[in-house]
Amino acid sequence: MQLVRQKGKLRAYRARAALVPLVVAALGSGCAAEGSPEATRSARPAAEKEAQRGPEAQQQDARKAREAAGGGPARRGKAALSQKARAAAAKKWGLKQTPLAAPPPPAVKPRITTRKGFEVTGGEGLPPVFTTVPTKEKIVFLTIDDGAEKDPELLRMMSDLRIPYSAFLSDYVINDDYGYFEKMRDSGVALHNHTLNHPYLPGLSYSQQKREICGQQDKLEKRYGSRPRLMRPPYGNYNKDTLRVAKKCGIKAVPLWASEAFPDHMEWREWDRDLHPGDIILTHFRGEDEWEGSMPDMIRRVMQTVTEKGYAVAKLEDYV
């Protein structure tokens, strides 16, 4: 699926029509009423108690509040050590720049809606289909599809660099080595649904799609202990039955992608050939027999692009 972002009016190459920004749900907070006699009486004992604690205790509380707002010295120190280790790993793995650290995840996940032009008729209440997560942070999300190539160097590299990513797996290419993805899961990577056999879903009946999607849900739950919440349809193609089945099988959202990474280049789906806050990057488990390079080469390429543009890679599951 190719996507094109245009000024004013946005177009899709192989898929749908226009893009409008996804909306973040605003959270409001209320304040207690002031000035009433009850409020004055209830506040007086607290004020007297605070005065009795003395200036040193009050200063200590203020310092703790400032540290909490800034993450505290312990947290900042841990982050600095983590970045130092990442810098050493970047040098080890041949990256030109140290990957940037992602900001802390939001306390409340953003509201995800279907990208305009990607709707299906009568699709209200079905899992949203999207290419970008609504956020103002300079972050992107790395996703890897299918599972054909099982390069042990990728596991070591990503662990050393502490780069988060999500895997969307198809059983027909992972069933010769389930253990590889078990190691991936144990390192903190979320394993998601990419169907049993990677078919063109709109060409299948409802029952056939159910076997492909729900069957993979069952396989992944049995092998890895949890039922995926995310599903990516092969080739980015889907219809209403796809989303109906996905919802029935426990899928909450259907992330597609805004750009694609290869060892020797990036492919851009938007008109400006650039990254945007919250963009999802697609790549695949592929080796040198199919690519001009290895999976570590692909990571070097995508991280060079992401870092040079001032972005960090964040964990998709923290936002969706």
Side-chain angles (χ1 to χ4, degrees):
M1 173 165 304
Q2 293 199 1
L3 314 174
V4 179
R5 183 178 311 208
Q6 293 189 335
K7 298 179 181 177
K9 183 176 180 181
L10 308 170
R11 299 180 307 177
Y13 277 167
R14 298 177 188 169
R16 319 294 191 265
L19 170 67
V20 295
L22 301 176
V23 180
V24 180
L27 302 177
S29 61
C31 298
E34 299 177 359
S36 67
E38 292 80 4
T40 303
R41 285 196 296 270
S42 63
R44 187 178 296 118
E48 291 173 352
K49 185 177 180 180
E50 181 67 13
Q52 292 171 1
R53 294 179 65 243
E56 291 184 3
Q58 294 176 36
Q59 289 173 5
Q60 185 178 12
D61 287 348
R63 183 173 65 254
K64 288 180 179 179
R66 288 194 300 272
E67 290 175 353
R75 183 170 181 176
R76 290 195 297 273
K78 185 177 180 180
L81 288 173
S82 177
Q83 238 355 56
K84 186 175 181 181
R86 184 175 285 171
K91 184 176 181 180
K92 169 186 173 181
W93 288 100
L95 273 66
K96 294 182 178 180
Q97 295 176 278
T98 301
L100 300 174
V108 178
K109 293 181 180 181
R111 177 172 172 259
I112 306 295
T113 59
T114 292
R115 175 173 176 167
K116 188 172 182 180
F118 286 64
E119 307 93 338
V120 296
T121 302
E124 296 80 5
L126 297 180
V129 181
F130 58 102
T131 63
T132 300
V133 173
T135 179
K136 294 181 180 179
E137 301 281 2
K138 291 198 72 174
I139 56 172
V140 293
F141 305 97
L142 181 62
T143 63
I144 311 181
D145 276 12
D146 63 52
E149 180 72 13
K150 302 163 186 71
D151 188 345
E153 288 289 282
L154 174 71
L155 299 182
R156 289 190 283 270
M157 182 180 195
M158 301 302 271
S159 179
D160 286 351
L161 291 169
R162 305 181 187 185
I163 297 173
Y165 62 104
S166 305
F168 289 79
L169 305 178
S170 292
D171 189 70
Y172 84 109
V173 286
I174 70 170
N175 60 19
D176 62 340
D177 190 358
Y178 287 122
Y180 178 84
F181 301 97
E182 187 173 285
K183 294 175 184 175
M184 191 174 288
R185 177 208 63 190
D186 291 345
S187 70
V189 177
L191 308 181
H192 297 297
N193 192 324
H194 198 43
T195 71
L196 285 172
N197 299 294
H198 206 273
Y200 174 72
L201 290 173
L204 303 182
S205 67
Y206 179 91
S207 61
Q208 290 172 323
Q209 292 199 48
K210 183 177 179 181
R211 179 181 179 277
E212 283 290 335
I213 298 170
C214 299
Q216 182 66 342
Q217 289 287 88
D218 296 339
K219 286 269 189 181
L220 293 174
E221 182 178 26
K222 180 180 178 180
R223 290 288 176 180
Y224 303 113
S226 62
R227 204 164 180 80
R229 297 176 63 256
L230 306 180
M231 188 274 290
R232 174 174 286 155
Y235 318 109
N237 296 121
Y238 59 93
N239 59 15
K240 183 179 178 180
D241 280 347
T242 308
L243 303 183
R244 289 174 59 215
V245 167
K247 181 177 181 179
K248 185 176 182 65
C249 299
I251 297 297
K252 304 301 182 184
V254 179
L256 298 184
W257 61 92
S259 59
E260 187 171 354
F262 297 86
D264 56 340
H265 70 286
M266 294 283 294
E267 288 190 1
W268 305 99
R269 309 305 184 189
E270 308 292 353
W271 77 276
D272 56 359
R273 301 177 59 80
D274 204 355
L275 293 177
H276 313 88
D279 275 358
I280 298 171
I281 299 173
L282 164 70
T283 189
H284 290 82
F285 290 94
R286 294 286 187 272
E288 295 185 42
D289 55 336
E290 296 184 67
W291 271 351
E292 295 295 326
S294 64
M295 293 205 74
D297 290 333
M298 177 274 296
I299 295 298
R300 279 186 278 270
R301 167 66 63 176
V302 70
M303 291 312 303
Q304 177 181 342
T305 302
V306 168
T307 306
E308 284 181 350
K309 292 178 178 293
Y311 284 81
V313 177
K315 187 173 183 178
L316 181 62
E317 295 73 23
D318 286 340
Y319 289 78
V320 178

